[in-house]
Amino acid sequence: MIDLHNHILFGVDDGAQTIADSLAMIKAGAARGFHTFVLTPHYMIYRGYTSPYEKNKIIFEQIKTACRKEGLSVKLILGNELQYEFALTERYGEDVYTAMGGTDYYLIETTRQNGTALGLLNFVLFLEKQGKKAVLAHPERYDFVQDDPNVLLDFIRRGVLIQSNYLSLIDYYDQKTTETVKIMLEHHMVHLLGSDAHQTEAYDLYPRAEAVGVELVGETQWRAFFTENAGAFLSGKDFDIIEPKPFRKPAKFGRVEEPDLSRWQKHTLL
Ligand SMILES: [Fe+2]
């Protein structure tokens, strides 16, 4: 299995702090069946997590060497998780932050509260102008997605891939996130899953998430998120993308609320 999102790279964000932490996380992930890890340290300007790519590469090589010494046969790939703010467009360049391994995709996120679809979509447009694309990290955690999951249709139609956290399925964050990720999975609004591990616990909890996920989407689809989809993604190949279904919000008094799709059908933001 492939983990496309984690904070294993030590000493640069709120994930692993030491090389021992990094190794413990890799071992915990490997014990749950992960053989490939895309290390995606935060590039988050407001919290001062701005370790440049050149520095990250040095730490990355240290972890790879340590894995070899310990006889861990895992594949490590370097990326970033970019928290959107306008300054990212001014800092664009391989020496500052990077795409996910050799792909053309940048992993992007926004704040849980008060983030906007518009800011993210404008960043997606900026990346398109550079010939690049985006993976949206854990949108189930954003309040504007929780309010209306259909906002993701804008992203998906624009070619953005959606990556959810498997921990979202087991109330690891909060109940609203759990409800939202379930809606997203049921409406084909998820293409990839990741751990977003900041410590070993995220891997230790994988079996609980798997049990819920398999119940929801079936064994084949669940495995595909971590194997076929993630593998094709990393090799720049296409994988099956099912047309998403708009979410019909249940109304308070038993009536089903039809989704208002006019704003997606009649005009786009970009
Ligand atoms: Fe993350």
Side-chain angles (χ1 to χ4, degrees):
M1 292 196 301
I2 299 168
D3 182 17
L4 292 169
H5 181 167
N6 58 70
H7 298 270
I8 287 174
L9 197 82
F10 69 91
V12 296
D13 65 11
D14 53 349
Q17 294 305 306
T18 64
I19 196 161
D21 292 343
S22 299
L23 287 173
M25 289 172 75
I26 292 167
K27 284 178 191 169
R32 300 304 178 189
F34 290 99
H35 55 70
T36 298
F37 301 82
V38 183
L39 279 56
T40 51
H42 285 297
Y43 193 91
M44 191 185 270
I45 297 168
Y46 92 99
R47 283 185 72 177
Y49 299 147
T50 53
S51 177
Y53 181 51
E54 287 302 319
K55 184 184 166 197
N56 289 351
K57 267 201 295 191
I58 294 167
I59 301 167
F60 178 69
E61 289 303 325
Q62 289 172 357
I63 298 171
K64 282 210 305 193
T65 305
C67 282
R68 271 195 296 274
K69 277 188 189 156
E70 296 230 1
L72 287 167
S73 62
V74 290
K75 184 172 181 187
L76 305 182
I77 297 167
L78 188 55
N80 263 132
E81 179 183 19
L82 312 174
Q83 182 164 105
Y84 175 68
E85 56 183 279
F86 185 72
L88 285 181
T89 63
E90 298 163 330
R91 296 186 187 195
Y92 180 78
E94 273 301 290
D95 53 336
V96 182
Y97 56 78
T98 190
M100 297 171 79
T103 74
D104 283 336
Y105 285 84
Y106 286 82
L107 183 65
I108 65 171
E109 66 164 342
T110 188
T111 49
R112 283 181 56 205
Q113 276 127 16
N114 304 318
T116 66
L118 187 58
L120 282 169
L121 281 165
N122 277 326
F123 190 46
V124 169
L125 180 63
F126 169 82
L127 291 173
E128 276 179 22
K129 284 184 178 161
Q130 322 303 318
K132 304 293 182 185
K133 295 173 185 174
V135 175
L136 184 56
H138 44 62
E140 67 274 13
R141 301 192 65 198
Y142 309 148
D143 56 9
F144 70 89
V145 176
Q146 294 176 353
D147 288 346
D148 183 2
N150 287 330
V151 74
L152 292 175
L153 300 175
D154 262 348
F155 289 87
I156 294 169
R157 284 178 191 155
R158 195 110 209 144
V160 174
L161 295 175
I162 307 296
Q163 177 261 308
S164 286
N165 291 354
Y166 62 72
L167 292 173
S168 297
L169 280 165
I170 53 168
D171 281 348
Y172 185 77
Y173 304 103
D174 55 68
Q175 214 181 345
K176 192 74 190 161
T177 298
T178 305
E179 283 168 21
T180 306
V181 79
K182 286 182 175 174
I183 290 167
M184 287 165 56
L185 283 164
E186 285 166 347
H187 293 76
H188 310 304
M189 294 176 181
V190 178
H191 308 116
L192 303 161
L193 289 174
S195 72
D196 199 2
H198 285 66
Q199 58 275 314
T200 55
E201 178 191 47
Y203 293 113
D204 298 339
L205 290 169
Y206 173 78
R208 275 184 55 200
E210 183 186 58
V212 178
V214 166
E215 180 80 19
L216 198 66
V217 300
E219 175 84 35
T220 307
Q221 179 59 61
W222 181 260
R223 298 289 300 179
F225 285 129
F226 297 99
T227 54
E228 287 97 335
N229 291 18
F233 168 74
L234 287 179
S235 352
K237 293 181 188 148
D238 290 338
F239 57 90
D240 283 341
I241 290 190
I242 304 167
E243 178 74 19
K245 290 188 294 188
F247 169 57
R248 293 159 170 240
K249 195 175 185 179
K252 279 183 189 155
F253 302 105
R255 194 173 58 82
V256 173
E257 212 175 275
E258 288 299 323
D260 174 13
L261 295 176
S262 55
R263 65 188 164 116
W264 288 285
Q265 285 163 352
K266 288 180 185 155
H267 57 91
T268 60
L269 291 165
L270 300 170

